[in-house]
Amino acid sequence: MKYNEFLSNYEFKKVEEYQGQATKAPVVSVVVVTFQHASYIHDCLEGILMQKTNFTFEILLGEDSSTDGTREICIEYAEKYPNKIRLFLHHRENNIRINGQPTGRFNLLNSLFSASGKYIALCEGDDYWNDNSKLQKQVDFLEANPQFSFAFHDATVINKNGKVLRKGYLKDGFRNNLEQKVLKRGPDLLLSTICFRRNALHFPREFFNVPNGDTFLISLLGNQGKGGYLASINNSFYRHHFGGVWSLKTELFKSRGRLLTYFYLGTFYKKKHDTEISDYFLEKFLKERDLILNSATNMQERGQLVQQFYHMKKSKAAFWFFLYNLTHDFNGRGNIFKRNFLRNMSSF
């Protein structure tokens, strides 16, 4: 999807780009998405501004209409660093809801489309970097290794007060360079730790519907090259708190989100005729399906889910009906009409 098409489909109220004259033709565009981060956004921006580089970089700061003072802090920084920060003031009218929940997807995509750097780095407003040479090391690596689409490092998990909960975020086996086959499967890497080539990124329509955008983004980058792990970069900080969009959701909510994510990734790779990866996500989908079935609170609810899975195999419409019920409610209203409608649909 192109930027003009994105705005035409999703921008209902024009985004305001705050005054400023950010660096022209930067080497790196740093994308920051923030909402209700008044207690944390200072650390985030300072961690970026402290970067020591032999190249220019810009900060694309997307503020999603917070009510806790985050917007005012962002404006202060934009006024203090007009040659470094491009501030986008967003409106809730443009919010893209996924799986029935508000998201920062419009905010993120608007900044990614607006980025002009050769490379893009990401840092959410409640996370922050802890190494003033992070960008320099990642760009140096990517310049020297064209077969890699991005470079990444590890992170330390902290709570809202900065107390360390986990010294390392990456799972065993992921503190090393990663091949494309591994990356296409969407491994659990933090977006705040990566720096990638802007020309490696594109936005298929599935990306606008998938709940786990980070999983999809890593998978997309895997189509363009390998991932380079840089142990020499100090861990950044990933904050685990009650205001987090994902970290403290219920397990059932996360499971439904993963189910949709696996479906859209499987659909994407099926279109690309990548059978191996498409089948991988189908298997993940089926396992997640079983987890959700086992979470049913009573036999009637479980029976409804089983019936919907059965119909899912037979028609695309049934599949979408199943997803709708699964991610919204189980009350089955309108089932008679929908079942009659599904019988007339073509099979897969």
Side-chain angles (χ1 to χ4, degrees):
M1 183 179 292
K2 302 295 185 182
Y3 190 28
N4 289 339
E5 185 181 0
F6 165 71
L7 292 179
S8 176
N9 289 341
Y10 297 102
E11 186 185 48
F12 299 102
K13 186 173 182 179
K14 187 172 179 59
V15 176
E16 302 171 42
E17 184 167 358
Y18 198 73
Q19 61 191 31
Q21 297 177 342
T23 303
K24 301 296 183 184
V27 173
V28 178
S29 295
V30 182
V31 171
V32 178
V33 174
T34 185
F35 176 66
Q36 302 294 82
H37 291 153
S39 298
Y40 316 123
I41 189 63
H42 172 86
D43 289 342
C44 174
L45 294 175
E46 290 296 328
I48 300 168
L49 291 165
M50 74 175 183
Q51 293 298 303
K52 297 185 182 301
T53 64
N54 60 14
F55 52 79
T56 58
F57 65 90
E58 66 175 354
I59 301 172
L60 285 76
L61 178 55
E63 204 296 305
D64 223 352
S65 195
S66 303
T67 59
D68 67 343
T70 302
R71 175 161 292 206
E72 289 73 19
I73 296 172
C74 290
I75 290 174
E76 289 177 11
Y77 269 90
E79 291 178 343
K80 187 175 181 180
Y81 301 97
N83 296 323
K84 187 71 72 174
I85 296 177
R86 295 173 61 190
L87 174 59
F88 297 93
L89 300 176
H90 289 274
H91 310 285
R92 301 306 286 175
E93 289 88 341
N94 299 332
N95 190 276
I96 297 175
R97 297 180 69 88
I98 299 174
N99 195 18
Q101 298 291 316
T103 71
R105 191 63 50 85
F106 181 92
N107 187 340
L108 172 65
L109 285 165
N110 182 76
S111 289
L112 289 175
F113 275 122
S114 301
S116 55
K118 180 179 180 181
Y119 301 102
I120 295 177
L122 299 163
C123 191
E124 290 201 27
D126 51 352
D127 301 331
Y128 65 99
W129 299 342
N130 189 41
D131 190 328
N132 63 11
S133 62
K134 165 194 160 70
L135 287 181
Q136 185 69 59
K137 290 177 180 178
Q138 290 183 311
V139 168
D140 287 347
F141 176 85
L142 292 170
E143 288 286 293
N145 297 277
Q147 71 273 31
F148 287 81
S149 65
F150 70 93
F152 69 104
H153 55 87
D154 206 351
T156 297
V157 182
I158 59 176
N159 67 10
K160 66 177 183 178
N161 298 317
K163 180 181 178 181
V164 174
L165 302 177
R166 212 163 87 211
K167 292 183 177 180
Y169 180 87
L170 292 173
K171 296 178 181 178
D172 292 342
F174 288 94
R175 294 184 182 89
N176 50 256
N177 294 345
L178 301 177
E179 298 295 324
Q180 287 186 263
K181 181 178 179 179
V182 175
L183 294 176
K184 286 182 182 181
R185 296 182 175 190
D188 188 13
L189 308 181
L190 289 174
L191 295 186
S192 60
T193 69
I194 73 172
C195 179
F196 59 91
R197 302 179 191 277
R198 182 164 64 96
N199 63 6
L201 190 62
H202 67 290
F203 305 107
R205 291 190 178 277
E206 289 84 359
F207 185 65
F208 293 79
N209 300 308
V210 65
N212 301 85
D214 48 354
T215 302
F216 205 115
L217 182 58
I218 296 297
S219 183
L220 287 176
L221 294 175
N223 283 274
Q224 305 301 324
K226 298 187 289 184
Y229 175 66
L230 301 184
S232 64
I233 297 177
N234 295 338
N235 283 14
S236 60
F237 287 96
Y238 169 68
R239 206 179 300 269
H240 193 279
H241 61 96
F242 286 101
V245 174
W246 179 257
S247 60
L248 293 178
K249 294 290 188 182
T250 67
E251 285 305 312
L252 181 57
F253 180 89
K254 291 179 181 180
S255 189
R256 293 173 182 173
R258 287 191 293 268
L259 187 85
L260 285 166
T261 298
Y262 299 148
F263 166 69
Y264 284 116
L265 276 164
T267 300
F268 171 72
Y269 281 105
K270 186 174 182 181
K271 289 179 180 178
K272 288 177 64 66
H273 305 290
D274 190 333
T275 303
E276 180 182 359
I277 303 300
S278 179
D279 287 348
Y280 167 80
F281 283 114
L282 172 60
E283 183 178 349
K284 297 276 283 185
F285 175 93
L286 294 175
K287 288 181 179 178
E288 207 66 44
R289 176 202 65 180
D290 292 341
L291 286 175
I292 293 175
L293 283 174
N294 292 334
S295 72
T297 58
N298 56 61
M299 290 303 295
Q300 181 180 3
E301 184 178 284
R302 183 178 175 82
Q304 289 175 344
L305 288 171
V306 169
Q307 184 180 36
Q308 289 164 7
F309 276 122
Y310 173 77
H311 283 298
M312 181 193 71
K313 298 177 182 178
K314 294 190 173 182
S315 87
K316 296 178 183 179
F319 192 32
W320 286 109
F321 170 46
F322 158 74
L323 288 175
Y324 176 83
N325 277 346
L326 188 61
T327 56
H328 291 79
D329 60 65
F330 300 100
N331 60 19
R333 286 175 291 182
N335 277 354
I336 294 176
F337 169 78
K338 291 173 183 175
R339 281 199 298 269
N340 289 335
F341 175 73
L342 297 178
R343 291 193 185 99
N344 296 317
M345 296 300 295
S346 59
S347 61
F348 281 115

